[in-house]
Amino acid sequence: MTAIETRRTGLRVPAALKSPTILLGAVLVGVWVFAALFAPWIAPYDPLQSRAPLQLPMSRGPDGSLYLLGTDLLGRDILSRLIWGARAVVLWAGLATATAFAVGLAMGLVAGFYKGWVDKVLSFIANVILSFPVLVLYILVIVTFGASGLNIVLAVTFASAPGIFRIVRALTIDIAAQDYVAAAIVQGESPLRIMAVEILPNAAGPLIVDACLRLGYTTITIGVLGFLGLGLPPPTPDWGSMVNDGRPMAIAFPHMVIFPCIAISMMTLGLSLVADGIRELGLRHGRA
Amino acid sequence: MTHPSVVSVQNLSVRLPRGADRPFAVEDVSLDVRRGEILCVVGESGSGKSVLSAAIMGALPRGLTFGGGSVRFGDRDLTKLRARDLRSIRGNEIAMVFQDPIASLNPAIPVGRQVEEVFEIHTDLKPEERRARALALLESTHLPEPARIHGAYPHQISGGQCQRVVIAMALALEPKLLIADEPTTALDVTTQAQILRLFNELRGGDQHGILFITHDFGVVREVADRVAVMRHGRLVEIGPAADVLDRPSHDYTRTLIASVPSLNPPARSTDLSAPPALKADDLVAFYGPVKALKDVSVSIPKGATLAVVGESGSGKSTLARTIIRLHEPDSGTIAVGGVDYTALKGRDLQARRRLVQMIFQNPFGSLNPRRTVGEVLMRAGVLGGADAATARRRALELLDLVRLPREAFDRRPDAFSGGQRQRISIARALAMNPEIVIADESVSALDVSVQAQVLTLLDDLQKTTGMTMLFITHDLRVAAQIADHIAVMKRGEVVEFGLARDVLRRPKHPYTRELVAAAPGQMRSDADAAAE
């Protein structure tokens, strides 16, 4: 009766490192996070400086400098632009996803915990937003408020928060029916603390998975907005707008389009792999 | 009298996957089921009894492998057969009845069709013959109006009726062996009694043997010809029912049988003239359109225990949840130690919640898996008005009180067994110094031996802390062991209320009489009563 096993809960970091899926994903994402953090030191050239137009990958310019991934129409080094562009993506995608989650979490917890009319109102708002095509929403927001990083955050939050809201709400309703939540209510615990301590940590698994996936979608979104000319204002290096800039001459000089596309894919694929890996781990541990 | 055996298990071992708490789920077990008998395999959770039944079906759960021995069925060894050959034996020659009758039936197909399907798969009977056979089977399991039941969907008939349909399906092809895995555990006592009667009738035929898996010695006493007791995957003892139940040769069997609560209430020394700690008057509560409580009034003297007994749907849990204000009453009043508890709202209510605490039913759902036992107990203490240091000291004292080691403080719930978790829940309730503790089926999910320990613990705690207890249970035997008063509920009403011994020995209401009669293991309590 007194024997206690020494097993512990939770996804431990070493367990995560044993999953090849998570490792591969982390490497793909890690490359660009590293690039974003250390851009000034690792970028070979100034991303905005016009050096030698239309150099092919691995070629040397007239001054003998090496362009690993070539240069674009205006002669800017593509590798340097990708590295600096990673900064924009990591920063704005991260920020946008974080705000979307903050809004979605708060709304979802409140709706799922209190139910009743609060839930009805919030769910109605969410459903109305969700009934619009996402792309139309983005364009609407950006066109109304202008193209800037903060407006991308606004647009992504506006479009993603309802989806997050729905997941959080469903999880909350499920967890709120557990006896440990009833026990907390019976102890006179405040609703805020019940949501933060009893409910949220137990919903974390699926939410982390969703956050990884959504970070990937947001990367794509920023790419799409950049491509449509609605992203970060030029000349900020931005993967999406790089694809657009290279588009007219893509047949002759595919490298201008292919490398930014690969960058976007690496980022998205990496995040999806991490999400998949975490979900698998969670399943093996009997939750998520 | 000895009949040839239908199935013969010899030195059977089933290996658990690496990393499990023991190497074998079933270890070196030998037994046989004879034609015309019911062999009961009894054991607590983790004893390997269900794995044994799966092994006999040749269907081991994923990850488990045969580790030696044989299961001889006729001239075949079931452990060696290929999946295809096993399939033709299953359902045909060996049939199974599971615990949850409703989950065993397809909700989208009328039950009669499901019985007929058995013939469709295994025989080439014509449609009208199939229908006739199905009706005959439904009738043989004593289903009322077989023609009507034949066309009914599972949700249109009761749980007991569903189990009869499942039994009818199992018997359809006249199997040589019927395996019943806890077939009455999910049913109410009165329904259980009826299904057990049906099993007793089924034995009569000379066609088959029945292997009956159960955790309940009361049930064993009702149906078994022979009993096999299992523990930790090994066979502890096996023999004729009378020998094993009344003259057990093994200590473990003796302990198990002694743990089965009897219907005879022990003498109690509670002062029943104390003023009421809890008084609920004319409570009315709805669950949606259903009136779950119809003018229920209960009162418990300070320091006493009231057991509320009833079957599923009687409103007993609603009563508990209403008193503790997890469910709002539509009318009526609740007074706790003289304070009008129903009038409290919002923050006032939050502040007075301490007065009434609850021990929940499911030991696995009532503790937040992310928080350590210490965090849980300290938080309860702090909410109860203590400062952090006092709460910490008190949490450690509470662990002593519920007889858990102090190391438990830093562990999370998944490190504990069901019984240990229930102790943690008890400690959490006590950490707030409540006036009243409500135990909602708090020992129902536990093995008998653990159940006995927890009941003793609650009883001791009541003596030391003077707490008042409202004990909700479906099990009259448990109520008999812990209660001063018993209230019997049926369909939202209290039909009988009185001192425990009066209600159990001289029940007035016909429903109470039915409940008392249906409580399994009567022979034992009769013997006890005679011995007194």
PDB file of all heavy atoms in Angstrom, chain A residues 1 3-5 9 179-180 183 185-187 189 193 197-198 202, chain B residues 353 357 365-371 379-380 411-412 420 428 432:
ATOM      1  N   MET A   1       0.825  -1.210   0.000  1.00  0.00           N
ATOM      2  CA  MET A   1       0.000   0.000   0.000  1.00  0.00           C
ATOM      3  C   MET A   1       0.852   1.250   0.000  1.00  0.00           C
ATOM      4  O   MET A   1       0.484   2.290  -0.504  1.00  0.00           O
ATOM      5  CB  MET A   1      -0.847  -0.049   1.279  1.00  0.00           C
ATOM      6  CG  MET A   1      -2.122   0.761   1.235  1.00  0.00           C
ATOM      7  SD  MET A   1      -3.145   0.371  -0.182  1.00  0.00           S
ATOM      8  CE  MET A   1      -3.698   2.015  -0.568  1.00  0.00           C
ATOM      9  N   ALA A   3       3.901   1.523  -1.291  1.00  0.00           N
ATOM     10  CA  ALA A   3       4.856   1.629  -2.389  1.00  0.00           C
ATOM     11  C   ALA A   3       4.395   2.678  -3.392  1.00  0.00           C
ATOM     12  O   ALA A   3       3.245   2.695  -3.800  1.00  0.00           O
ATOM     13  CB  ALA A   3       4.996   0.288  -3.099  1.00  0.00           C
ATOM     14  N   ILE A   4       5.284   3.577  -3.741  1.00  0.00           N
ATOM     15  CA  ILE A   4       4.940   4.593  -4.721  1.00  0.00           C
ATOM     16  C   ILE A   4       5.904   4.465  -5.877  1.00  0.00           C
ATOM     17  O   ILE A   4       7.104   4.377  -5.690  1.00  0.00           O
ATOM     18  CB  ILE A   4       5.069   5.999  -4.122  1.00  0.00           C
ATOM     19  CG1 ILE A   4       4.148   6.139  -2.935  1.00  0.00           C
ATOM     20  CG2 ILE A   4       4.732   7.054  -5.159  1.00  0.00           C
ATOM     21  CD1 ILE A   4       4.320   7.442  -2.228  1.00  0.00           C
ATOM     22  N   GLU A   5       5.344   4.415  -7.067  1.00  0.00           N
ATOM     23  CA  GLU A   5       6.234   4.346  -8.213  1.00  0.00           C
ATOM     24  C   GLU A   5       6.890   5.697  -8.422  1.00  0.00           C
ATOM     25  O   GLU A   5       6.356   6.720  -8.031  1.00  0.00           O
ATOM     26  CB  GLU A   5       5.434   3.972  -9.466  1.00  0.00           C
ATOM     27  CG  GLU A   5       4.854   2.577  -9.374  1.00  0.00           C
ATOM     28  CD  GLU A   5       3.717   2.402 -10.357  1.00  0.00           C
ATOM     29  OE1 GLU A   5       3.917   2.737 -11.532  1.00  0.00           O
ATOM     30  OE2 GLU A   5       2.636   1.971  -9.931  1.00  0.00           O
ATOM     31  N   THR A   9       5.073  12.675 -14.473  1.00  0.00           N
ATOM     32  CA  THR A   9       4.212  13.080 -15.589  1.00  0.00           C
ATOM     33  C   THR A   9       4.962  13.952 -16.579  1.00  0.00           C
ATOM     34  O   THR A   9       6.061  14.395 -16.341  1.00  0.00           O
ATOM     35  CB  THR A   9       3.050  13.964 -15.101  1.00  0.00           C
ATOM     36  OG1 THR A   9       3.046  13.946 -13.718  1.00  0.00           O
ATOM     37  CG2 THR A   9       1.769  13.560 -15.735  1.00  0.00           C
ATOM     38  N   ASP A 179     -13.794  15.842 -12.354  1.00  0.00           N
ATOM     39  CA  ASP A 179     -14.054  16.045 -10.931  1.00  0.00           C
ATOM     40  C   ASP A 179     -13.051  16.979 -10.260  1.00  0.00           C
ATOM     41  O   ASP A 179     -13.378  17.626  -9.279  1.00  0.00           O
ATOM     42  CB  ASP A 179     -14.064  14.697 -10.202  1.00  0.00           C
ATOM     43  CG  ASP A 179     -15.395  13.979 -10.377  1.00  0.00           C
ATOM     44  OD1 ASP A 179     -16.361  14.639 -10.796  1.00  0.00           O
ATOM     45  OD2 ASP A 179     -15.465  12.770 -10.082  1.00  0.00           O
ATOM     46  N   TYR A 180     -11.827  17.048 -10.782  1.00  0.00           N
ATOM     47  CA  TYR A 180     -10.875  17.926 -10.085  1.00  0.00           C
ATOM     48  C   TYR A 180     -11.249  19.389 -10.239  1.00  0.00           C
ATOM     49  O   TYR A 180     -10.903  20.217  -9.392  1.00  0.00           O
ATOM     50  CB  TYR A 180      -9.415  17.653 -10.440  1.00  0.00           C
ATOM     51  CG  TYR A 180      -9.022  17.723 -11.902  1.00  0.00           C
ATOM     52  CD1 TYR A 180      -8.798  18.941 -12.523  1.00  0.00           C
ATOM     53  CD2 TYR A 180      -8.852  16.559 -12.631  1.00  0.00           C
ATOM     54  CE1 TYR A 180      -8.416  18.989 -13.857  1.00  0.00           C
ATOM     55  CE2 TYR A 180      -8.464  16.595 -13.957  1.00  0.00           C
ATOM     56  CZ  TYR A 180      -8.251  17.819 -14.566  1.00  0.00           C
ATOM     57  OH  TYR A 180      -7.873  17.865 -15.881  1.00  0.00           O
ATOM     58  N   ALA A 183     -13.917  19.775  -7.701  1.00  0.00           N
ATOM     59  CA  ALA A 183     -13.278  19.865  -6.387  1.00  0.00           C
ATOM     60  C   ALA A 183     -12.787  21.287  -6.131  1.00  0.00           C
ATOM     61  O   ALA A 183     -12.944  21.827  -5.032  1.00  0.00           O
ATOM     62  CB  ALA A 183     -12.124  18.874  -6.289  1.00  0.00           C
ATOM     63  N   ILE A 185     -13.955  24.065  -7.445  1.00  0.00           N
ATOM     64  CA  ILE A 185     -15.120  24.936  -7.242  1.00  0.00           C
ATOM     65  C   ILE A 185     -15.609  24.785  -5.805  1.00  0.00           C
ATOM     66  O   ILE A 185     -15.872  25.772  -5.103  1.00  0.00           O
ATOM     67  CB  ILE A 185     -16.256  24.565  -8.225  1.00  0.00           C
ATOM     68  CG1 ILE A 185     -15.815  24.842  -9.655  1.00  0.00           C
ATOM     69  CG2 ILE A 185     -17.534  25.329  -7.892  1.00  0.00           C
ATOM     70  CD1 ILE A 185     -16.806  24.375 -10.704  1.00  0.00           C
ATOM     71  N   VAL A 186     -15.698  23.529  -5.378  1.00  0.00           N
ATOM     72  CA  VAL A 186     -16.196  23.234  -4.039  1.00  0.00           C
ATOM     73  C   VAL A 186     -15.286  23.816  -2.968  1.00  0.00           C
ATOM     74  O   VAL A 186     -15.720  24.143  -1.878  1.00  0.00           O
ATOM     75  CB  VAL A 186     -16.332  21.697  -3.898  1.00  0.00           C
ATOM     76  CG1 VAL A 186     -16.435  21.284  -2.459  1.00  0.00           C
ATOM     77  CG2 VAL A 186     -17.537  21.210  -4.675  1.00  0.00           C
ATOM     78  N   GLN A 187     -13.991  23.952  -3.292  1.00  0.00           N
ATOM     79  CA  GLN A 187     -13.068  24.541  -2.318  1.00  0.00           C
ATOM     80  C   GLN A 187     -13.167  26.061  -2.280  1.00  0.00           C
ATOM     81  O   GLN A 187     -12.502  26.700  -1.483  1.00  0.00           O
ATOM     82  CB  GLN A 187     -11.627  24.158  -2.661  1.00  0.00           C
ATOM     83  CG  GLN A 187     -11.310  22.717  -2.338  1.00  0.00           C
ATOM     84  CD  GLN A 187      -9.903  22.356  -2.749  1.00  0.00           C
ATOM     85  OE1 GLN A 187      -9.305  23.009  -3.597  1.00  0.00           O
ATOM     86  NE2 GLN A 187      -9.371  21.314  -2.148  1.00  0.00           N
ATOM     87  N   GLU A 189     -12.363  28.035  -4.904  1.00  0.00           N
ATOM     88  CA  GLU A 189     -11.315  28.597  -5.750  1.00  0.00           C
ATOM     89  C   GLU A 189     -11.939  29.616  -6.713  1.00  0.00           C
ATOM     90  O   GLU A 189     -13.080  29.437  -7.146  1.00  0.00           O
ATOM     91  CB  GLU A 189     -10.693  27.442  -6.527  1.00  0.00           C
ATOM     92  CG  GLU A 189      -9.390  27.716  -7.195  1.00  0.00           C
ATOM     93  CD  GLU A 189      -8.233  27.805  -6.224  1.00  0.00           C
ATOM     94  OE1 GLU A 189      -7.609  26.767  -5.925  1.00  0.00           O
ATOM     95  OE2 GLU A 189      -7.969  28.923  -5.769  1.00  0.00           O
ATOM     96  N   ARG A 193      -8.476  31.477 -11.326  1.00  0.00           N
ATOM     97  CA  ARG A 193      -7.450  30.519 -10.953  1.00  0.00           C
ATOM     98  C   ARG A 193      -7.797  29.114 -11.438  1.00  0.00           C
ATOM     99  O   ARG A 193      -6.921  28.337 -11.819  1.00  0.00           O
ATOM    100  CB  ARG A 193      -7.254  30.526  -9.437  1.00  0.00           C
ATOM    101  CG  ARG A 193      -5.803  30.286  -9.046  1.00  0.00           C
ATOM    102  CD  ARG A 193      -5.645  30.149  -7.568  1.00  0.00           C
ATOM    103  NE  ARG A 193      -4.946  28.903  -7.295  1.00  0.00           N
ATOM    104  CZ  ARG A 193      -3.646  28.831  -7.017  1.00  0.00           C
ATOM    105  NH1 ARG A 193      -2.931  29.926  -6.962  1.00  0.00           N
ATOM    106  NH2 ARG A 193      -3.069  27.675  -6.787  1.00  0.00           N
ATOM    107  N   VAL A 197      -5.042  27.342 -13.516  1.00  0.00           N
ATOM    108  CA  VAL A 197      -4.284  26.279 -12.864  1.00  0.00           C
ATOM    109  C   VAL A 197      -4.857  24.897 -13.133  1.00  0.00           C
ATOM    110  O   VAL A 197      -4.114  23.942 -13.344  1.00  0.00           O
ATOM    111  CB  VAL A 197      -4.219  26.528 -11.336  1.00  0.00           C
ATOM    112  CG1 VAL A 197      -3.486  25.399 -10.647  1.00  0.00           C
ATOM    113  CG2 VAL A 197      -3.540  27.856 -11.064  1.00  0.00           C
ATOM    114  N   GLU A 198      -6.172  24.795 -13.114  1.00  0.00           N
ATOM    115  CA  GLU A 198      -6.760  23.463 -13.255  1.00  0.00           C
ATOM    116  C   GLU A 198      -7.002  23.108 -14.720  1.00  0.00           C
ATOM    117  O   GLU A 198      -6.829  21.973 -15.119  1.00  0.00           O
ATOM    118  CB  GLU A 198      -8.089  23.366 -12.481  1.00  0.00           C
ATOM    119  CG  GLU A 198      -8.029  23.844 -11.033  1.00  0.00           C
ATOM    120  CD  GLU A 198      -7.270  22.877 -10.118  1.00  0.00           C
ATOM    121  OE1 GLU A 198      -7.087  21.713 -10.507  1.00  0.00           O
ATOM    122  OE2 GLU A 198      -6.848  23.307  -9.029  1.00  0.00           O
ATOM    123  N   ASN A 202      -3.879  21.372 -18.405  1.00  0.00           N
ATOM    124  CA  ASN A 202      -4.325  20.080 -18.893  1.00  0.00           C
ATOM    125  C   ASN A 202      -4.776  20.133 -20.349  1.00  0.00           C
ATOM    126  O   ASN A 202      -5.059  19.108 -20.956  1.00  0.00           O
ATOM    127  CB  ASN A 202      -5.443  19.534 -18.006  1.00  0.00           C
ATOM    128  CG  ASN A 202      -4.899  19.095 -16.672  1.00  0.00           C
ATOM    129  OD1 ASN A 202      -4.090  18.183 -16.596  1.00  0.00           O
ATOM    130  ND2 ASN A 202      -5.300  19.779 -15.612  1.00  0.00           N
TER     131      ASN A 202
ATOM    132  N   ARG B 353     -17.611  27.974   1.112  1.00  0.00           N
ATOM    133  CA  ARG B 353     -17.515  26.655   0.504  1.00  0.00           C
ATOM    134  C   ARG B 353     -16.815  25.652   1.416  1.00  0.00           C
ATOM    135  O   ARG B 353     -17.101  24.462   1.381  1.00  0.00           O
ATOM    136  CB  ARG B 353     -16.717  26.744  -0.802  1.00  0.00           C
ATOM    137  CG  ARG B 353     -17.465  27.351  -1.972  1.00  0.00           C
ATOM    138  CD  ARG B 353     -18.300  26.311  -2.639  1.00  0.00           C
ATOM    139  NE  ARG B 353     -18.754  26.729  -3.955  1.00  0.00           N
ATOM    140  CZ  ARG B 353     -19.687  26.079  -4.645  1.00  0.00           C
ATOM    141  NH1 ARG B 353     -20.246  25.006  -4.137  1.00  0.00           N
ATOM    142  NH2 ARG B 353     -20.063  26.493  -5.831  1.00  0.00           N
ATOM    143  N   GLN B 357     -17.409  19.725   2.042  1.00  0.00           N
ATOM    144  CA  GLN B 357     -16.424  19.221   1.091  1.00  0.00           C
ATOM    145  C   GLN B 357     -16.850  17.865   0.555  1.00  0.00           C
ATOM    146  O   GLN B 357     -17.723  17.214   1.107  1.00  0.00           O
ATOM    147  CB  GLN B 357     -15.049  19.130   1.758  1.00  0.00           C
ATOM    148  CG  GLN B 357     -14.400  20.487   1.942  1.00  0.00           C
ATOM    149  CD  GLN B 357     -14.212  21.211   0.613  1.00  0.00           C
ATOM    150  OE1 GLN B 357     -13.585  20.701  -0.305  1.00  0.00           O
ATOM    151  NE2 GLN B 357     -14.774  22.396   0.497  1.00  0.00           N
ATOM    152  N   GLY B 365     -10.203  10.717 -11.905  1.00  0.00           N
ATOM    153  CA  GLY B 365     -10.617  11.988 -12.476  1.00  0.00           C
ATOM    154  C   GLY B 365     -10.682  13.108 -11.462  1.00  0.00           C
ATOM    155  O   GLY B 365     -10.894  14.259 -11.808  1.00  0.00           O
ATOM    156  N   SER B 366     -10.475  12.779 -10.177  1.00  0.00           N
ATOM    157  CA  SER B 366     -10.721  13.817  -9.176  1.00  0.00           C
ATOM    158  C   SER B 366      -9.453  14.530  -8.743  1.00  0.00           C
ATOM    159  O   SER B 366      -9.492  15.385  -7.873  1.00  0.00           O
ATOM    160  CB  SER B 366     -11.451  13.221  -7.980  1.00  0.00           C
ATOM    161  OG  SER B 366     -10.670  12.215  -7.402  1.00  0.00           O
ATOM    162  N   LEU B 367      -8.318  14.154  -9.342  1.00  0.00           N
ATOM    163  CA  LEU B 367      -7.078  14.865  -9.017  1.00  0.00           C
ATOM    164  C   LEU B 367      -6.468  15.416 -10.295  1.00  0.00           C
ATOM    165  O   LEU B 367      -6.334  14.688 -11.283  1.00  0.00           O
ATOM    166  CB  LEU B 367      -6.082  13.921  -8.338  1.00  0.00           C
ATOM    167  CG  LEU B 367      -6.483  13.400  -6.961  1.00  0.00           C
ATOM    168  CD1 LEU B 367      -5.569  12.260  -6.538  1.00  0.00           C
ATOM    169  CD2 LEU B 367      -6.450  14.515  -5.937  1.00  0.00           C
ATOM    170  N   ASN B 368      -6.097  16.688 -10.267  1.00  0.00           N
ATOM    171  CA  ASN B 368      -5.450  17.314 -11.416  1.00  0.00           C
ATOM    172  C   ASN B 368      -4.109  16.624 -11.681  1.00  0.00           C
ATOM    173  O   ASN B 368      -3.228  16.666 -10.834  1.00  0.00           O
ATOM    174  CB  ASN B 368      -5.249  18.800 -11.116  1.00  0.00           C
ATOM    175  CG  ASN B 368      -4.699  19.559 -12.305  1.00  0.00           C
ATOM    176  OD1 ASN B 368      -4.147  18.970 -13.230  1.00  0.00           O
ATOM    177  ND2 ASN B 368      -4.856  20.862 -12.285  1.00  0.00           N
ATOM    178  N   PRO B 369      -3.961  15.988 -12.864  1.00  0.00           N
ATOM    179  CA  PRO B 369      -2.739  15.216 -13.117  1.00  0.00           C
ATOM    180  C   PRO B 369      -1.472  16.064 -13.121  1.00  0.00           C
ATOM    181  O   PRO B 369      -0.377  15.533 -13.001  1.00  0.00           O
ATOM    182  CB  PRO B 369      -2.986  14.601 -14.498  1.00  0.00           C
ATOM    183  CG  PRO B 369      -4.099  15.369 -15.095  1.00  0.00           C
ATOM    184  CD  PRO B 369      -4.921  15.888 -13.971  1.00  0.00           C
ATOM    185  N   ARG B 370      -1.616  17.384 -13.249  1.00  0.00           N
ATOM    186  CA  ARG B 370      -0.431  18.238 -13.357  1.00  0.00           C
ATOM    187  C   ARG B 370       0.080  18.756 -12.021  1.00  0.00           C
ATOM    188  O   ARG B 370       1.103  19.415 -11.961  1.00  0.00           O
ATOM    189  CB  ARG B 370      -0.747  19.463 -14.224  1.00  0.00           C
ATOM    190  CG  ARG B 370      -1.239  19.122 -15.581  1.00  0.00           C
ATOM    191  CD  ARG B 370      -0.087  19.035 -16.513  1.00  0.00           C
ATOM    192  NE  ARG B 370      -0.513  18.386 -17.738  1.00  0.00           N
ATOM    193  CZ  ARG B 370       0.200  18.388 -18.845  1.00  0.00           C
ATOM    194  NH1 ARG B 370       1.350  18.989 -18.870  1.00  0.00           N
ATOM    195  NH2 ARG B 370      -0.235  17.777 -19.911  1.00  0.00           N
ATOM    196  N   ARG B 371      -0.664  18.551 -10.957  1.00  0.00           N
ATOM    197  CA  ARG B 371      -0.252  19.154  -9.695  1.00  0.00           C
ATOM    198  C   ARG B 371       0.182  18.082  -8.702  1.00  0.00           C
ATOM    199  O   ARG B 371      -0.396  17.013  -8.634  1.00  0.00           O
ATOM    200  CB  ARG B 371      -1.404  19.970  -9.104  1.00  0.00           C
ATOM    201  CG  ARG B 371      -2.009  20.932 -10.119  1.00  0.00           C
ATOM    202  CD  ARG B 371      -2.899  21.925  -9.458  1.00  0.00           C
ATOM    203  NE  ARG B 371      -2.138  22.876  -8.697  1.00  0.00           N
ATOM    204  CZ  ARG B 371      -2.647  23.596  -7.704  1.00  0.00           C
ATOM    205  NH1 ARG B 371      -3.894  23.432  -7.344  1.00  0.00           N
ATOM    206  NH2 ARG B 371      -1.894  24.451  -7.061  1.00  0.00           N
ATOM    207  N   ARG B 379      -2.886  24.034  -1.151  1.00  0.00           N
ATOM    208  CA  ARG B 379      -3.843  25.003  -1.698  1.00  0.00           C
ATOM    209  C   ARG B 379      -5.176  24.901  -0.946  1.00  0.00           C
ATOM    210  O   ARG B 379      -5.788  25.913  -0.614  1.00  0.00           O
ATOM    211  CB  ARG B 379      -4.048  24.736  -3.185  1.00  0.00           C
ATOM    212  CG  ARG B 379      -4.956  25.726  -3.885  1.00  0.00           C
ATOM    213  CD  ARG B 379      -4.368  27.116  -3.897  1.00  0.00           C
ATOM    214  NE  ARG B 379      -5.397  28.091  -4.255  1.00  0.00           N
ATOM    215  CZ  ARG B 379      -5.275  29.401  -4.116  1.00  0.00           C
ATOM    216  NH1 ARG B 379      -4.165  29.907  -3.606  1.00  0.00           N
ATOM    217  NH2 ARG B 379      -6.241  30.219  -4.471  1.00  0.00           N
ATOM    218  N   ALA B 380      -5.596  23.661  -0.676  1.00  0.00           N
ATOM    219  CA  ALA B 380      -6.844  23.472   0.057  1.00  0.00           C
ATOM    220  C   ALA B 380      -6.735  24.112   1.439  1.00  0.00           C
ATOM    221  O   ALA B 380      -7.656  24.785   1.900  1.00  0.00           O
ATOM    222  CB  ALA B 380      -7.173  21.988   0.177  1.00  0.00           C
ATOM    223  N   ARG B 411       4.924  14.070  -5.168  1.00  0.00           N
ATOM    224  CA  ARG B 411       4.576  13.257  -6.324  1.00  0.00           C
ATOM    225  C   ARG B 411       3.286  13.752  -6.971  1.00  0.00           C
ATOM    226  O   ARG B 411       2.465  14.389  -6.325  1.00  0.00           O
ATOM    227  CB  ARG B 411       4.381  11.796  -5.894  1.00  0.00           C
ATOM    228  CG  ARG B 411       5.604  11.197  -5.265  1.00  0.00           C
ATOM    229  CD  ARG B 411       6.395  10.398  -6.299  1.00  0.00           C
ATOM    230  NE  ARG B 411       7.800  10.315  -5.946  1.00  0.00           N
ATOM    231  CZ  ARG B 411       8.286   9.485  -5.033  1.00  0.00           C
ATOM    232  NH1 ARG B 411       7.493   8.683  -4.400  1.00  0.00           N
ATOM    233  NH2 ARG B 411       9.565   9.469  -4.768  1.00  0.00           N
ATOM    234  N   ARG B 412       3.136  13.364  -8.251  1.00  0.00           N
ATOM    235  CA  ARG B 412       1.889  13.683  -8.933  1.00  0.00           C
ATOM    236  C   ARG B 412       0.965  12.470  -8.890  1.00  0.00           C
ATOM    237  O   ARG B 412       1.418  11.363  -8.663  1.00  0.00           O
ATOM    238  CB  ARG B 412       2.185  14.082 -10.377  1.00  0.00           C
ATOM    239  CG  ARG B 412       2.855  15.435 -10.458  1.00  0.00           C
ATOM    240  CD  ARG B 412       2.816  16.009 -11.848  1.00  0.00           C
ATOM    241  NE  ARG B 412       3.282  17.386 -11.811  1.00  0.00           N
ATOM    242  CZ  ARG B 412       4.562  17.729 -11.764  1.00  0.00           C
ATOM    243  NH1 ARG B 412       5.489  16.794 -11.772  1.00  0.00           N
ATOM    244  NH2 ARG B 412       4.920  18.989 -11.707  1.00  0.00           N
ATOM    245  N   GLN B 420      -4.854   4.685  -3.172  1.00  0.00           N
ATOM    246  CA  GLN B 420      -4.021   5.780  -2.661  1.00  0.00           C
ATOM    247  C   GLN B 420      -4.573   7.129  -3.102  1.00  0.00           C
ATOM    248  O   GLN B 420      -4.602   8.088  -2.327  1.00  0.00           O
ATOM    249  CB  GLN B 420      -2.585   5.607  -3.172  1.00  0.00           C
ATOM    250  CG  GLN B 420      -1.861   4.456  -2.508  1.00  0.00           C
ATOM    251  CD  GLN B 420      -0.519   4.180  -3.174  1.00  0.00           C
ATOM    252  OE1 GLN B 420      -0.361   4.354  -4.392  1.00  0.00           O
ATOM    253  NE2 GLN B 420       0.452   3.763  -2.397  1.00  0.00           N
ATOM    254  N   ARG B 428      -7.534  15.916   0.872  1.00  0.00           N
ATOM    255  CA  ARG B 428      -7.848  17.234   0.309  1.00  0.00           C
ATOM    256  C   ARG B 428      -9.134  17.785   0.921  1.00  0.00           C
ATOM    257  O   ARG B 428      -9.212  18.961   1.264  1.00  0.00           O
ATOM    258  CB  ARG B 428      -8.000  17.133  -1.209  1.00  0.00           C
ATOM    259  CG  ARG B 428      -8.478  18.434  -1.841  1.00  0.00           C
ATOM    260  CD  ARG B 428      -8.585  18.333  -3.334  1.00  0.00           C
ATOM    261  NE  ARG B 428      -9.547  17.315  -3.733  1.00  0.00           N
ATOM    262  CZ  ARG B 428      -9.688  16.879  -4.985  1.00  0.00           C
ATOM    263  NH1 ARG B 428      -8.930  17.366  -5.939  1.00  0.00           N
ATOM    264  NH2 ARG B 428     -10.587  15.969  -5.276  1.00  0.00           N
ATOM    265  N   MET B 432      -9.561  21.364   4.478  1.00  0.00           N
ATOM    266  CA  MET B 432     -10.317  22.604   4.644  1.00  0.00           C
ATOM    267  C   MET B 432     -11.081  22.644   5.953  1.00  0.00           C
ATOM    268  O   MET B 432     -11.852  23.578   6.179  1.00  0.00           O
ATOM    269  CB  MET B 432     -11.282  22.778   3.474  1.00  0.00           C
ATOM    270  CG  MET B 432     -10.581  22.764   2.132  1.00  0.00           C
ATOM    271  SD  MET B 432     -11.566  23.513   0.840  1.00  0.00           S
ATOM    272  CE  MET B 432     -11.246  25.235   1.094  1.00  0.00           C
TER     273      MET B 432
END
